[in-house]
PDB file of all heavy atoms in Angstrom:
ATOM      1  N   TYR A  46      18.195  26.833   7.102  1.00 88.00           N
ATOM      2  CA  TYR A  46      18.104  25.716   8.083  1.00 88.00           C
ATOM      3  C   TYR A  46      17.060  24.656   7.680  1.00 88.00           C
ATOM      4  O   TYR A  46      16.536  23.911   8.501  1.00 88.00           O
ATOM      5  CB  TYR A  46      17.914  26.231   9.515  1.00 88.00           C
ATOM      6  CG  TYR A  46      16.873  27.331   9.682  1.00 88.00           C
ATOM      7  CD1 TYR A  46      15.610  27.010  10.182  1.00 88.00           C
ATOM      8  CD2 TYR A  46      17.155  28.665   9.345  1.00 88.00           C
ATOM      9  CE1 TYR A  46      14.655  28.000  10.305  1.00 88.00           C
ATOM     10  CE2 TYR A  46      16.207  29.657   9.478  1.00 88.00           C
ATOM     11  CZ  TYR A  46      14.951  29.310   9.975  1.00 88.00           C
ATOM     12  OH  TYR A  46      13.995  30.303  10.103  1.00 88.00           O
ATOM     13  N   LYS A  47      16.792  24.605   6.367  1.00 92.00           N
ATOM     14  CA  LYS A  47      16.006  23.499   5.789  1.00 92.00           C
ATOM     15  C   LYS A  47      14.662  23.296   6.458  1.00 92.00           C
ATOM     16  O   LYS A  47      14.252  22.173   6.766  1.00 92.00           O
ATOM     17  CB  LYS A  47      16.809  22.203   5.805  1.00 92.00           C
ATOM     18  CG  LYS A  47      18.086  22.233   4.951  1.00 92.00           C
ATOM     19  CD  LYS A  47      18.679  20.856   4.823  1.00 92.00           C
ATOM     20  CE  LYS A  47      19.982  20.855   4.017  1.00 92.00           C
ATOM     21  NZ  LYS A  47      19.828  21.047   2.607  1.00 92.00           N
ATOM     22  N   GLN A  48      13.969  24.401   6.677  1.00 94.00           N
ATOM     23  CA  GLN A  48      12.664  24.322   7.348  1.00 94.00           C
ATOM     24  C   GLN A  48      11.578  23.754   6.419  1.00 94.00           C
ATOM     25  O   GLN A  48      11.438  24.186   5.299  1.00 94.00           O
ATOM     26  CB  GLN A  48      12.245  25.719   7.808  1.00 94.00           C
ATOM     27  CG  GLN A  48      10.971  25.725   8.604  1.00 94.00           C
ATOM     28  CD  GLN A  48      10.580  27.134   9.009  1.00 94.00           C
ATOM     29  OE1 GLN A  48      11.190  28.112   8.621  1.00 94.00           O
ATOM     30  NE2 GLN A  48       9.513  27.233   9.818  1.00 94.00           N
ATOM     31  N   ILE A  49      10.876  22.742   6.890  1.00 95.00           N
ATOM     32  CA  ILE A  49       9.789  22.190   6.082  1.00 95.00           C
ATOM     33  C   ILE A  49       8.436  22.302   6.788  1.00 95.00           C
ATOM     34  O   ILE A  49       7.388  21.956   6.198  1.00 95.00           O
ATOM     35  CB  ILE A  49      10.042  20.713   5.722  1.00 95.00           C
ATOM     36  CG1 ILE A  49      10.430  19.888   6.940  1.00 95.00           C
ATOM     37  CG2 ILE A  49      11.115  20.540   4.669  1.00 95.00           C
ATOM     38  CD1 ILE A  49       9.426  18.880   7.293  1.00 95.00           C
ATOM     39  N   ASP A  50       8.441  22.730   8.056  1.00 95.00           N
ATOM     40  CA  ASP A  50       7.177  22.819   8.784  1.00 95.00           C
ATOM     41  C   ASP A  50       7.111  24.131   9.560  1.00 95.00           C
ATOM     42  O   ASP A  50       8.135  24.794   9.750  1.00 95.00           O
ATOM     43  CB  ASP A  50       7.010  21.652   9.741  1.00 95.00           C
ATOM     44  CG  ASP A  50       8.132  21.591  10.784  1.00 95.00           C
ATOM     45  OD1 ASP A  50       9.271  22.015  10.464  1.00 95.00           O
ATOM     46  OD2 ASP A  50       7.901  21.106  11.890  1.00 95.00           O
ATOM     47  N   ASP A  51       5.905  24.515   9.951  1.00 95.00           N
ATOM     48  CA  ASP A  51       5.748  25.780  10.672  1.00 95.00           C
ATOM     49  C   ASP A  51       4.508  25.705  11.552  1.00 95.00           C
ATOM     50  O   ASP A  51       3.717  24.758  11.428  1.00 95.00           O
ATOM     51  CB  ASP A  51       5.637  26.942   9.663  1.00 95.00           C
ATOM     52  CG  ASP A  51       6.179  28.247  10.239  1.00 95.00           C
ATOM     53  OD1 ASP A  51       6.210  28.401  11.485  1.00 95.00           O
ATOM     54  OD2 ASP A  51       6.560  29.122   9.433  1.00 95.00           O
ATOM     55  N   TYR A  52       4.331  26.746  12.436  1.00 96.00           N
ATOM     56  CA  TYR A  52       3.168  26.748  13.319  1.00 96.00           C
ATOM     57  C   TYR A  52       1.869  26.915  12.549  1.00 96.00           C
ATOM     58  O   TYR A  52       1.864  27.479  11.470  1.00 96.00           O
ATOM     59  CB  TYR A  52       3.309  27.867  14.349  1.00 96.00           C
ATOM     60  CG  TYR A  52       4.494  27.633  15.258  1.00 96.00           C
ATOM     61  CD1 TYR A  52       5.721  28.346  15.060  1.00 96.00           C
ATOM     62  CD2 TYR A  52       4.397  26.735  16.307  1.00 96.00           C
ATOM     63  CE1 TYR A  52       6.809  28.089  15.895  1.00 96.00           C
ATOM     64  CE2 TYR A  52       5.486  26.481  17.127  1.00 96.00           C
ATOM     65  CZ  TYR A  52       6.689  27.166  16.925  1.00 96.00           C
ATOM     66  OH  TYR A  52       7.753  26.921  17.742  1.00 96.00           O
ATOM     67  N   GLN A  53       0.795  26.433  13.125  1.00 96.00           N
ATOM     68  CA  GLN A  53      -0.542  26.546  12.500  1.00 96.00           C
ATOM     69  C   GLN A  53      -1.075  27.954  12.628  1.00 96.00           C
ATOM     70  O   GLN A  53      -1.057  28.525  13.708  1.00 96.00           O
ATOM     71  CB  GLN A  53      -1.559  25.689  13.241  1.00 96.00           C
ATOM     72  CG  GLN A  53      -1.472  24.233  13.059  1.00 96.00           C
ATOM     73  CD  GLN A  53      -2.695  23.549  13.657  1.00 96.00           C
ATOM     74  OE1 GLN A  53      -3.831  23.877  13.342  1.00 96.00           O
ATOM     75  NE2 GLN A  53      -2.443  22.586  14.530  1.00 96.00           N
ATOM     76  N   TYR A  54      -1.639  28.485  11.550  1.00 97.00           N
ATOM     77  CA  TYR A  54      -2.441  29.705  11.671  1.00 97.00           C
ATOM     78  C   TYR A  54      -3.631  29.362  12.547  1.00 97.00           C
ATOM     79  O   TYR A  54      -4.221  28.285  12.407  1.00 97.00           O
ATOM     80  CB  TYR A  54      -2.945  30.136  10.301  1.00 97.00           C
ATOM     81  CG  TYR A  54      -1.939  30.954   9.505  1.00 97.00           C
ATOM     82  CD1 TYR A  54      -1.485  30.512   8.282  1.00 97.00           C
ATOM     83  CD2 TYR A  54      -1.471  32.171  10.026  1.00 97.00           C
ATOM     84  CE1 TYR A  54      -0.567  31.266   7.576  1.00 97.00           C
ATOM     85  CE2 TYR A  54      -0.561  32.921   9.296  1.00 97.00           C
ATOM     86  CZ  TYR A  54      -0.115  32.463   8.079  1.00 97.00           C
ATOM     87  OH  TYR A  54       0.772  33.191   7.348  1.00 97.00           O
ATOM     88  N   GLY A  55      -3.983  30.273  13.423  1.00 97.00           N
ATOM     89  CA  GLY A  55      -5.136  30.051  14.285  1.00 97.00           C
ATOM     90  C   GLY A  55      -4.758  29.374  15.593  1.00 97.00           C
ATOM     91  O   GLY A  55      -5.609  29.160  16.445  1.00 97.00           O
ATOM     92  N   GLY A  56      -3.476  29.032  15.705  1.00 96.00           N
ATOM     93  CA  GLY A  56      -2.994  28.416  16.955  1.00 96.00           C
ATOM     94  C   GLY A  56      -3.306  26.934  17.004  1.00 96.00           C
ATOM     95  O   GLY A  56      -3.937  26.380  16.107  1.00 96.00           O
ATOM     96  N   GLY A  57      -2.862  26.278  18.075  1.00 93.00           N
ATOM     97  CA  GLY A  57      -3.106  24.856  18.247  1.00 93.00           C
ATOM     98  C   GLY A  57      -1.798  24.071  18.230  1.00 93.00           C
ATOM     99  O   GLY A  57      -0.812  24.521  17.649  1.00 93.00           O
ATOM    100  N   ALA A  58      -1.847  22.926  18.877  1.00 93.00           N
ATOM    101  CA  ALA A  58      -0.635  22.091  19.003  1.00 93.00           C
ATOM    102  C   ALA A  58      -0.290  21.453  17.672  1.00 93.00           C
ATOM    103  O   ALA A  58      -1.181  21.109  16.904  1.00 93.00           O
ATOM    104  CB  ALA A  58      -0.873  21.025  20.050  1.00 93.00           C
ATOM    105  N   GLY A  59       0.999  21.297  17.450  1.00 92.00           N
ATOM    106  CA  GLY A  59       1.451  20.533  16.263  1.00 92.00           C
ATOM    107  C   GLY A  59       1.819  21.439  15.117  1.00 92.00           C
ATOM    108  O   GLY A  59       1.187  22.473  14.865  1.00 92.00           O
TER     109      GLY A  59
END
Side-chain angles (χ1 to χ4, degrees):
Y46 47 101
K47 297 190 182 286
Q48 185 181 5
I49 50 114
D50 59 331
D51 210 336
Y52 295 101
Q53 286 190 55
Y54 277 120

